Amino acid sequence: MTWCEKYRPGSFSELVGQEFAVEKVKRIVGDYNSGKNIGKKSLILYGPPGTGKTTIAYILAAETDSEIFELNASDLRNREKMQKILKPAIEQKPLTKKNKIILVDEVEGISTTEYGGLSELLELIDESAYPVIITANDIWDKKFSSLRQKCELIQLKEIGYKSIRNVLENIIKKEKLFMNQNILTSIAIRAKGDIRAAINDLQAVSRMRDPSKVRFDEREKELDIFHALKNIFKGKPTKETLEIFDSVNMSMDEIILWVDENLPYEYKGEELAKAYDRLSKTDVFKGRIYKQQYWRFLVYENILMSYGISSSKKDLKPGFTNYKKPSRILKIWMNNQKTEKKKTITQKYAAMVHIGIKRAMHEFPIIKQIINSNPQIAKELKLTEEELVYLKNGKD
Protein backbone atom coordinates (compact mmCIF):
# COMPACT_ATOMS: atom_id res chain seq x y z
CA MET A 1 0.00 0.00 0.00
CA THR A 2 1.27 3.47 -0.84
CA TRP A 3 1.71 5.85 2.06
CA CYS A 4 -0.82 8.22 0.45
CA GLU A 5 -3.52 5.58 0.90
CA LYS A 6 -2.19 4.30 4.20
CA TYR A 7 -2.21 7.74 5.79
CA ARG A 8 -5.18 9.29 4.03
CA PRO A 9 -7.09 11.35 6.65
CA GLY A 10 -10.05 9.45 8.10
CA SER A 11 -11.68 12.43 9.79
CA PHE A 12 -11.85 16.19 9.36
CA SER A 13 -9.68 16.64 12.46
CA GLU A 14 -6.84 14.88 10.58
CA LEU A 15 -7.22 17.03 7.45
CA VAL A 16 -4.84 19.99 7.43
CA GLY A 17 -5.17 23.44 5.92
CA GLN A 18 -8.77 23.37 4.62
CA GLU A 19 -10.87 24.51 7.59
CA PHE A 20 -12.86 27.09 5.58
CA ALA A 21 -13.79 24.64 2.82
CA VAL A 22 -14.65 21.87 5.29
CA GLU A 23 -17.05 24.05 7.29
CA LYS A 24 -18.84 25.16 4.13
CA VAL A 25 -19.20 21.61 2.77
CA LYS A 26 -20.48 20.28 6.12
CA ARG A 27 -23.04 23.07 6.39
CA ILE A 28 -24.45 22.69 2.87
CA VAL A 29 -24.68 18.88 2.88
CA GLY A 30 -25.94 18.89 6.49
CA ASP A 31 -28.72 21.32 5.60
CA TYR A 32 -29.69 19.18 2.62
CA ASN A 33 -29.78 15.91 4.61
CA SER A 34 -31.88 17.54 7.33
CA GLY A 35 -34.49 18.60 4.77
CA LYS A 36 -33.79 22.33 4.72
CA ASN A 37 -34.64 24.18 1.54
CA ILE A 38 -31.22 25.22 0.23
CA GLY A 39 -30.47 26.97 -3.03
CA LYS A 40 -27.93 24.53 -4.49
CA LYS A 41 -27.54 20.88 -3.59
CA SER A 42 -24.45 20.38 -5.77
CA LEU A 43 -20.91 21.46 -4.89
CA ILE A 44 -17.74 21.96 -6.86
CA LEU A 45 -14.56 21.51 -4.83
CA TYR A 46 -11.79 23.09 -6.86
CA GLY A 47 -8.13 23.76 -6.27
CA PRO A 48 -4.62 22.45 -7.00
CA PRO A 49 -3.85 18.71 -7.04
CA GLY A 50 -3.15 17.07 -3.69
CA THR A 51 -5.09 19.52 -1.53
CA GLY A 52 -7.77 17.09 -0.32
CA LYS A 53 -10.76 17.47 -2.67
CA THR A 54 -11.61 13.77 -2.98
CA THR A 55 -10.63 13.11 0.63
CA ILE A 56 -13.15 15.69 1.86
CA ALA A 57 -15.94 13.86 0.02
CA TYR A 58 -15.01 10.51 1.58
CA ILE A 59 -14.66 11.91 5.11
CA LEU A 60 -18.01 13.65 4.72
CA ALA A 61 -19.61 10.37 3.66
CA ALA A 62 -18.20 8.62 6.72
CA GLU A 63 -19.27 11.35 9.14
CA THR A 64 -22.82 11.65 7.74
CA ASP A 65 -23.44 7.88 7.46
CA SER A 66 -23.64 8.15 3.67
CA GLU A 67 -22.98 5.74 0.84
CA ILE A 68 -20.64 7.31 -1.68
CA PHE A 69 -20.98 6.57 -5.38
CA GLU A 70 -17.80 7.70 -7.13
CA LEU A 71 -17.39 8.31 -10.83
CA ASN A 72 -14.36 9.59 -12.67
CA ALA A 73 -15.54 12.01 -15.34
CA SER A 74 -13.11 10.56 -17.90
CA ASP A 75 -15.36 7.47 -17.93
CA LEU A 76 -18.45 9.58 -18.63
CA ARG A 77 -17.71 11.14 -21.96
CA ASN A 78 -21.15 11.13 -23.54
CA ARG A 79 -24.89 11.03 -22.96
CA GLU A 80 -25.22 7.27 -23.38
CA LYS A 81 -22.67 6.48 -20.68
CA MET A 82 -24.14 9.10 -18.36
CA GLN A 83 -27.59 7.51 -18.70
CA LYS A 84 -26.19 4.01 -18.17
CA ILE A 85 -23.96 4.72 -15.16
CA LEU A 86 -24.91 7.94 -13.38
CA LYS A 87 -28.70 7.96 -13.80
CA PRO A 88 -29.28 4.71 -11.84
CA ALA A 89 -26.94 5.96 -9.12
CA ILE A 90 -28.99 9.11 -8.49
CA GLU A 91 -32.29 7.21 -8.51
CA GLN A 92 -31.49 4.22 -6.28
CA LYS A 93 -31.82 4.56 -2.52
CA PRO A 94 -28.79 3.79 -0.32
CA LEU A 95 -28.54 0.10 0.50
CA THR A 96 -26.72 0.08 3.84
CA LYS A 97 -26.44 3.71 4.94
CA LYS A 98 -28.79 6.48 5.98
CA ASN A 99 -27.78 8.94 3.25
CA LYS A 100 -26.02 9.01 -0.09
CA ILE A 101 -23.45 11.21 -1.86
CA ILE A 102 -22.69 11.23 -5.58
CA LEU A 103 -19.02 12.06 -6.28
CA VAL A 104 -17.98 13.09 -9.81
CA ASP A 105 -14.19 13.21 -9.65
CA GLU A 106 -11.99 15.24 -12.01
CA VAL A 107 -14.76 16.80 -14.06
CA GLU A 108 -12.20 18.14 -16.56
CA GLY A 109 -12.29 14.64 -18.07
CA ILE A 110 -15.73 15.21 -19.57
CA SER A 111 -15.05 15.62 -23.25
CA THR A 112 -16.44 18.38 -25.44
CA THR A 113 -15.73 16.40 -28.62
CA GLU A 114 -18.35 13.74 -27.90
CA TYR A 115 -21.90 15.01 -27.68
CA GLY A 116 -23.88 15.06 -24.51
CA GLY A 117 -21.54 14.34 -21.59
CA LEU A 118 -21.60 17.73 -19.92
CA SER A 119 -25.19 18.60 -20.83
CA GLU A 120 -26.37 15.26 -19.47
CA LEU A 121 -24.50 15.87 -16.22
CA LEU A 122 -26.35 19.17 -15.85
CA GLU A 123 -29.70 17.44 -16.31
CA LEU A 124 -28.86 14.66 -13.89
CA ILE A 125 -27.81 17.18 -11.23
CA ASP A 126 -31.34 18.60 -11.43
CA GLU A 127 -32.87 15.13 -11.16
CA SER A 128 -30.65 13.85 -8.34
CA ALA A 129 -32.32 13.11 -5.03
CA TYR A 130 -28.92 13.31 -3.31
CA PRO A 131 -26.16 15.91 -3.02
CA VAL A 132 -23.62 15.83 -5.85
CA ILE A 133 -19.97 16.70 -5.14
CA ILE A 134 -17.80 17.51 -8.15
CA THR A 135 -14.02 17.95 -8.01
CA ALA A 136 -11.85 19.95 -10.38
CA ASN A 137 -8.39 21.46 -10.50
CA ASP A 138 -9.52 24.37 -12.66
CA ILE A 139 -13.24 25.08 -13.04
CA TRP A 140 -12.94 28.35 -14.96
CA ASP A 141 -12.90 26.90 -18.47
CA LYS A 142 -15.66 28.42 -20.64
CA LYS A 143 -17.28 25.01 -21.16
CA PHE A 144 -18.10 24.84 -17.44
CA SER A 145 -20.04 28.13 -17.28
CA SER A 146 -23.44 26.38 -17.01
CA LEU A 147 -22.08 23.91 -14.46
CA ARG A 148 -20.74 26.75 -12.28
CA GLN A 149 -24.18 28.37 -12.22
CA LYS A 150 -25.80 25.17 -10.89
CA CYS A 151 -23.25 24.47 -8.17
CA GLU A 152 -21.88 26.05 -5.02
CA LEU A 153 -18.20 26.79 -5.66
CA ILE A 154 -15.80 25.97 -2.81
CA GLN A 155 -12.12 26.70 -3.30
CA LEU A 156 -9.43 24.62 -1.61
CA LYS A 157 -6.26 26.55 -0.92
CA GLU A 158 -2.69 25.43 -1.43
CA ILE A 159 -1.31 23.88 1.76
CA GLY A 160 1.63 25.68 3.37
CA TYR A 161 4.96 23.89 3.52
CA LYS A 162 5.03 23.97 7.36
CA SER A 163 1.73 22.10 7.53
CA ILE A 164 3.01 19.58 4.99
CA ARG A 165 6.22 19.11 6.97
CA ASN A 166 4.18 18.35 10.12
CA VAL A 167 2.28 15.64 8.23
CA LEU A 168 5.56 14.15 6.99
CA GLU A 169 6.98 14.14 10.53
CA ASN A 170 3.94 12.22 11.81
CA ILE A 171 4.28 9.63 9.05
CA ILE A 172 7.97 9.10 9.82
CA LYS A 173 7.15 8.56 13.50
CA LYS A 174 4.43 6.04 12.68
CA GLU A 175 6.80 4.18 10.35
CA LYS A 176 9.41 4.19 13.14
CA LEU A 177 12.01 5.75 10.89
CA PHE A 178 14.45 8.62 11.33
CA MET A 179 14.98 11.37 8.79
CA ASN A 180 16.84 14.65 8.96
CA GLN A 181 14.58 17.71 9.45
CA ASN A 182 16.26 19.49 6.52
CA ILE A 183 15.23 16.68 4.18
CA LEU A 184 11.63 16.84 5.39
CA THR A 185 11.62 20.63 4.90
CA SER A 186 13.05 20.27 1.37
CA ILE A 187 10.38 17.71 0.44
CA ALA A 188 7.62 19.98 1.84
CA ILE A 189 8.87 23.06 -0.05
CA ARG A 190 9.37 21.14 -3.30
CA ALA A 191 5.77 19.89 -3.20
CA LYS A 192 4.44 23.44 -3.66
CA GLY A 193 1.24 22.80 -1.74
CA ASP A 194 0.61 19.28 -3.10
CA ILE A 195 0.53 17.11 0.02
CA ARG A 196 0.03 13.91 -2.00
CA ALA A 197 3.19 14.60 -4.00
CA ALA A 198 5.08 15.29 -0.77
CA ILE A 199 4.05 11.94 0.77
CA ASN A 200 5.02 10.10 -2.43
CA ASP A 201 8.43 11.81 -2.37
CA LEU A 202 8.86 10.92 1.30
CA GLN A 203 8.13 7.25 0.64
CA ALA A 204 10.63 7.20 -2.24
CA VAL A 205 13.36 8.91 -0.19
CA SER A 206 12.78 6.58 2.77
CA ARG A 207 13.91 3.64 0.62
CA MET A 208 17.29 5.21 -0.11
CA ARG A 209 20.35 4.05 1.80
CA ASP A 210 21.49 7.63 2.35
CA PRO A 211 18.60 10.12 2.04
CA SER A 212 20.99 13.01 2.78
CA LYS A 213 22.46 12.65 -0.73
CA VAL A 214 19.18 13.32 -2.49
CA ARG A 215 19.04 16.62 -4.38
CA PHE A 216 15.69 18.33 -4.81
CA ASP A 217 14.83 20.57 -7.72
CA GLU A 218 11.67 22.62 -7.42
CA ARG A 219 8.69 21.08 -9.13
CA GLU A 220 7.62 22.95 -12.22
CA LYS A 221 3.96 23.67 -11.71
CA GLU A 222 1.59 25.88 -13.64
CA LEU A 223 -0.06 28.33 -11.28
CA ASP A 224 -3.72 29.12 -11.53
CA ILE A 225 -4.86 32.71 -11.24
CA PHE A 226 -5.92 32.32 -7.58
CA HIS A 227 -2.44 31.34 -6.41
CA ALA A 228 -0.85 34.06 -8.52
CA LEU A 229 -3.14 36.66 -6.92
CA LYS A 230 -2.36 35.30 -3.45
CA ASN A 231 1.37 35.64 -4.08
CA ILE A 232 0.98 39.18 -5.43
CA PHE A 233 -1.47 40.51 -2.83
CA LYS A 234 -0.26 38.72 0.29
CA GLY A 235 3.43 37.99 -0.25
CA LYS A 236 6.59 40.04 -0.08
CA PRO A 237 7.73 41.36 -3.50
CA THR A 238 10.83 39.51 -4.72
CA LYS A 239 12.59 38.75 -8.00
CA GLU A 240 10.31 35.72 -8.37
CA THR A 241 7.30 38.06 -8.18
CA LEU A 242 8.31 39.53 -11.55
CA GLU A 243 7.78 36.13 -13.20
CA ILE A 244 4.63 35.09 -11.37
CA PHE A 245 2.19 35.73 -14.23
CA ASP A 246 4.43 33.85 -16.70
CA SER A 247 3.23 30.64 -15.04
CA VAL A 248 -0.48 31.48 -15.44
CA ASN A 249 -2.19 30.10 -18.53
CA MET A 250 -4.15 33.28 -19.19
CA SER A 251 -3.74 36.38 -21.33
CA MET A 252 -2.53 39.60 -19.70
CA ASP A 253 -5.85 41.25 -20.58
CA GLU A 254 -7.73 38.66 -18.50
CA ILE A 255 -5.21 38.92 -15.66
CA ILE A 256 -5.77 42.69 -15.51
CA LEU A 257 -9.51 42.08 -15.03
CA TRP A 258 -8.84 39.60 -12.22
CA VAL A 259 -6.51 42.03 -10.44
CA ASP A 260 -8.96 44.90 -10.89
CA GLU A 261 -11.84 42.86 -9.43
CA ASN A 262 -9.98 41.58 -6.36
CA LEU A 263 -7.77 44.49 -5.31
CA PRO A 264 -10.39 45.96 -2.91
CA TYR A 265 -10.59 42.63 -1.03
CA GLU A 266 -6.95 42.98 0.03
CA TYR A 267 -5.89 46.64 -0.06
CA LYS A 268 -7.46 49.67 1.62
CA GLY A 269 -6.87 53.42 1.71
CA GLU A 270 -3.46 54.60 0.53
CA GLU A 271 -2.38 51.07 -0.42
CA LEU A 272 -5.42 50.66 -2.67
CA ALA A 273 -4.87 54.05 -4.31
CA LYS A 274 -1.23 53.25 -5.02
CA ALA A 275 -2.10 49.79 -6.42
CA TYR A 276 -4.82 51.20 -8.70
CA ASP A 277 -2.41 53.89 -9.92
CA ARG A 278 0.01 51.17 -11.00
CA LEU A 279 -2.80 49.15 -12.53
CA SER A 280 -3.86 52.21 -14.56
CA LYS A 281 -0.28 52.64 -15.81
CA THR A 282 -0.38 48.99 -16.88
CA ASP A 283 -3.42 49.80 -18.99
CA VAL A 284 -1.61 52.81 -20.50
CA PHE A 285 1.28 50.61 -21.60
CA LYS A 286 -1.16 48.03 -22.95
CA GLY A 287 -2.73 50.74 -25.12
CA ARG A 288 0.65 51.84 -26.44
CA ILE A 289 1.52 48.27 -27.31
CA TYR A 290 -1.70 47.79 -29.30
CA LYS A 291 -1.73 51.19 -31.02
CA GLN A 292 1.96 51.65 -31.74
CA GLN A 293 3.10 48.01 -31.79
CA TYR A 294 5.82 48.80 -29.24
CA TRP A 295 6.16 45.24 -27.94
CA ARG A 296 9.17 46.15 -25.81
CA PHE A 297 6.65 47.81 -23.46
CA LEU A 298 5.46 44.33 -22.41
CA VAL A 299 8.22 44.27 -19.80
CA TYR A 300 6.82 47.44 -18.15
CA GLU A 301 3.29 46.07 -18.27
CA ASN A 302 4.46 42.93 -16.47
CA ILE A 303 6.55 44.82 -13.86
CA LEU A 304 3.68 47.12 -12.91
CA MET A 305 1.17 44.23 -12.70
CA SER A 306 3.35 42.00 -10.55
CA TYR A 307 6.08 43.69 -8.53
CA GLY A 308 4.44 47.13 -8.71
CA ILE A 309 1.12 46.04 -7.22
CA SER A 310 2.76 43.68 -4.72
CA SER A 311 4.99 46.48 -3.41
CA SER A 312 2.02 48.85 -2.99
CA LYS A 313 1.17 47.34 0.40
CA LYS A 314 2.94 48.30 3.63
CA ASP A 315 2.59 44.95 5.39
CA LEU A 316 2.03 41.30 4.51
CA LYS A 317 -1.62 40.20 4.33
CA PRO A 318 -2.28 37.09 6.45
CA GLY A 319 -5.41 34.94 6.30
CA PHE A 320 -7.50 33.45 3.52
CA THR A 321 -9.30 35.55 0.90
CA ASN A 322 -11.91 34.10 -1.44
CA TYR A 323 -11.05 35.80 -4.73
CA LYS A 324 -13.91 36.46 -7.15
CA LYS A 325 -14.14 35.97 -10.87
CA PRO A 326 -14.35 39.34 -12.66
CA SER A 327 -17.93 40.44 -13.25
CA ARG A 328 -16.82 42.17 -16.46
CA ILE A 329 -15.81 38.81 -17.93
CA LEU A 330 -19.34 37.51 -17.31
CA LYS A 331 -20.87 40.61 -18.89
CA ILE A 332 -18.58 40.33 -21.92
CA TRP A 333 -19.44 36.63 -22.26
CA MET A 334 -23.19 37.33 -22.06
CA ASN A 335 -22.89 40.07 -24.66
CA ASN A 336 -20.87 37.78 -26.94
CA GLN A 337 -23.54 35.10 -26.58
CA LYS A 338 -26.21 37.58 -27.70
CA THR A 339 -24.09 38.77 -30.61
CA GLU A 340 -23.47 35.16 -31.64
CA LYS A 341 -27.21 34.45 -31.86
CA LYS A 342 -27.76 37.54 -33.95
CA LYS A 343 -24.93 36.52 -36.26
CA THR A 344 -26.18 32.96 -36.82
CA ILE A 345 -29.74 34.16 -37.51
CA THR A 346 -28.41 36.72 -39.97
CA GLN A 347 -26.29 34.13 -41.79
CA LYS A 348 -29.26 31.79 -42.23
CA TYR A 349 -31.52 34.60 -43.47
CA ALA A 350 -28.89 35.99 -45.86
CA ALA A 351 -28.34 32.56 -47.40
CA MET A 352 -32.10 32.04 -47.81
CA VAL A 353 -32.83 35.36 -49.58
CA HIS A 354 -29.45 35.64 -51.37
CA ILE A 355 -28.15 38.89 -49.86
CA GLY A 356 -24.84 39.73 -48.22
CA ILE A 357 -24.31 39.09 -44.50
CA LYS A 358 -23.11 42.68 -43.98
CA ARG A 359 -26.36 44.03 -45.42
CA ALA A 360 -28.43 41.57 -43.38
CA MET A 361 -26.69 42.65 -40.16
CA HIS A 362 -27.44 46.28 -40.98
CA GLU A 363 -31.10 45.47 -41.65
CA PHE A 364 -31.50 43.09 -38.69
CA PRO A 365 -34.30 45.08 -36.94
CA ILE A 366 -36.45 44.69 -40.06
CA ILE A 367 -35.45 41.02 -40.51
CA LYS A 368 -36.41 40.37 -36.90
CA GLN A 369 -39.92 41.77 -37.50
CA ILE A 370 -40.30 39.70 -40.69
CA ILE A 371 -39.36 36.43 -38.96
CA ASN A 372 -41.57 37.14 -35.92
CA SER A 373 -44.52 37.91 -38.17
CA ASN A 374 -44.79 34.35 -39.51
CA PRO A 375 -43.76 31.16 -37.59
CA GLN A 376 -43.32 29.35 -40.92
CA ILE A 377 -40.32 31.55 -41.75
CA ALA A 378 -38.52 30.43 -38.59
CA LYS A 379 -39.16 26.79 -39.53
CA GLU A 380 -37.77 27.29 -43.04
CA LEU A 381 -34.67 28.97 -41.60
CA LYS A 382 -34.28 26.05 -39.15
CA LEU A 383 -33.77 28.36 -36.19
CA THR A 384 -32.80 26.81 -32.87
CA GLU A 385 -34.74 27.34 -29.64
CA GLU A 386 -32.02 29.73 -28.41
CA GLU A 387 -32.28 31.76 -31.60
CA LEU A 388 -36.08 31.94 -31.30
CA VAL A 389 -35.78 33.15 -27.69
CA TYR A 390 -33.31 35.80 -28.81
CA LEU A 391 -35.68 36.99 -31.56
CA LYS A 392 -38.47 37.28 -29.03
CA ASN A 393 -36.57 38.92 -26.17
CA GLY A 394 -33.23 40.17 -27.47
CA LYS A 395 -32.51 43.83 -28.11
CA ASP A 396 -30.81 44.96 -31.32
Side-chain angles (χ1 to χ4, degrees):
M1 182 184 292
T2 65
W3 285 3
C4 278
E5 289 302 318
K6 187 176 181 180
Y7 295 107
R8 182 189 287 269
S11 65
F12 285 127
S13 61
E14 297 174 6
L15 190 72
V16 297
Q18 304 296 356
E19 292 78 12
F20 175 82
V22 165
E23 286 304 312
K24 197 168 183 180
V25 171
K26 288 169 68 175
R27 176 178 55 80
I28 293 171
V29 175
D31 286 348
Y32 182 80
N33 286 339
S34 63
K36 290 185 179 179
N37 185 18
I38 59 175
K40 297 176 180 177
K41 62 185 177 186
S42 301
L43 315 174
I44 296 177
L45 300 177
Y46 70 97
T51 50
K53 298 184 290 292
T54 306
T55 298
I56 286 177
Y58 272 90
I59 295 175
L60 183 69
E63 296 196 357
T64 58
D65 192 29
S66 300
E67 276 184 7
I68 189 162
F69 186 87
E70 179 181 356
L71 296 162
N72 189 295
S74 61
D75 299 324
L76 303 172
R77 293 183 177 273
N78 56 40
R79 181 178 294 270
E80 182 181 353
K81 287 186 177 180
M82 284 283 190
Q83 289 283 349
K84 185 177 179 180
I85 300 173
L86 185 53
K87 193 175 179 70
I90 66 173
E91 292 176 345
Q92 293 170 358
K93 293 183 178 180
L95 299 175
T96 59
K97 303 286 185 178
K98 181 180 178 181
N99 302 302
K100 190 173 187 178
I101 291 173
I102 308 297
L103 172 62
V104 181
D105 212 11
E106 298 178 348
V107 76
E108 293 97 332
I110 289 185
S111 174
T112 55
T113 59
E114 296 181 64
Y115 175 74
L118 188 56
S119 61
E120 183 68 7
L121 175 61
L122 294 171
E123 291 179 20
L124 293 177
I125 285 174
D126 288 335
E127 296 174 13
S128 177
Y130 308 102
V132 179
I133 297 179
I134 299 165
T135 71
N137 294 331
D138 179 12
I139 198 61
W140 298 110
D141 191 294
K142 289 180 181 178
K143 71 178 181 180
F144 295 128
S145 58
S146 298
L147 184 63
R148 291 194 299 268
Q149 293 173 21
K150 282 186 176 290
C151 301
E152 189 77 30
L153 302 184
I154 302 177
Q155 182 185 7
L156 273 70
K157 60 182 181 178
E158 190 176 273
I159 302 170
Y161 84 90
K162 291 182 180 179
S163 297
I164 294 178
R165 186 182 61 193
N166 291 338
V167 172
L168 301 183
E169 288 175 352
N170 289 331
I171 291 175
I172 287 298
K173 288 177 183 177
K174 290 175 182 177
E175 292 291 323
K176 297 180 180 178
L177 299 173
F178 171 79
M179 193 170 292
N180 187 287
Q181 284 290 319
N182 291 335
I183 296 175
L184 294 179
T185 301
S186 296
I187 293 173
I189 292 173
R190 179 179 184 264
K192 289 190 172 181
D194 187 336
I195 197 166
R196 182 170 58 236
I199 295 173
N200 285 334
D201 287 348
L202 179 67
Q203 187 172 10
V205 170
S206 71
R207 295 169 179 164
M208 298 178 65
R209 287 188 177 183
D210 187 359
S212 64
K213 292 184 178 180
V214 71
R215 293 290 178 266
F216 292 105
D217 296 321
E218 281 201 347
R219 243 186 200 91
E220 289 299 324
K221 182 176 175 182
E222 183 181 280
L223 289 176
D224 65 26
I225 186 62
F226 298 97
H227 293 87
L229 292 178
K230 183 183 75 172
N231 289 332
I232 294 293
F233 291 153
K234 294 184 179 294
K236 183 179 179 181
T238 63
K239 288 183 180 180
E240 288 73 24
T241 305
L242 291 168
E243 302 173 357
I244 195 71
F245 289 128
D246 294 338
S247 302
V248 177
N249 185 21
M250 188 177 286
S251 70
M252 188 58 77
D253 288 352
E254 288 181 279
I255 292 172
I256 289 173
L257 292 176
W258 278 90
V259 172
D260 178 41
E261 182 80 15
N262 290 287
L263 260 178
Y265 296 113
E266 295 284 15
Y267 294 1
K268 304 295 180 186
E270 185 181 337
E271 290 181 344
L272 184 61
K274 188 182 292 186
Y276 269 128
D277 178 64
R278 290 172 184 178
L279 183 62
S280 68
K281 287 184 171 64
T282 302
D283 199 49
V284 170
F285 277 107
K286 185 184 77 171
R288 289 172 180 170
I289 292 168
Y290 288 164
K291 291 179 183 178
Q292 303 171 29
Q293 298 294 294
Y294 286 173
W295 297 104
R296 63 182 183 273
F297 285 161
L298 278 172
V299 65
Y300 301 115
E301 185 180 6
N302 192 39
I303 290 171
L304 288 164
M305 276 286 293
S306 56
Y307 196 99
I309 288 177
S310 183
S311 62
S312 298
K313 60 182 177 294
K314 296 177 182 177
D315 304 302
L316 300 183
K317 307 288 183 182
F320 173 74
T321 304
N322 188 20
Y323 298 125
K324 309 294 184 184
K325 188 177 184 183
S327 55
R328 286 174 62 189
I329 290 179
L330 179 61
K331 290 175 183 176
I332 291 169
W333 179 83
M334 291 175 67
N335 184 63
N336 288 342
Q337 289 295 102
K338 292 178 180 179
T339 305
E340 185 64 25
K341 296 291 181 295
K342 180 177 179 179
K343 186 176 179 180
T344 56
I345 294 168
T346 302
Q347 288 173 339
K348 293 176 181 179
Y349 184 87
M352 179 69 72
V353 300
H354 305 290
I355 62 173
I357 295 175
K358 187 175 181 181
R359 175 185 167 185
M361 287 288 284
H362 180 71
E363 297 176 354
F364 187 78
I366 300 172
I367 293 171
K368 179 180 174 182
Q369 292 180 8
I370 293 172
I371 297 174
N372 285 334
S373 67
N374 188 342
Q376 188 61 34
I377 297 175
K379 288 184 180 180
E380 291 183 16
L381 292 174
K382 297 180 180 179
L383 300 183
T384 65
E385 289 185 17
E386 291 83 1
E387 289 168 340
L388 290 171
V389 170
Y390 176 78
L391 283 170
K392 185 177 181 181
N393 302 322
K395 295 181 179 179
D396 303 332

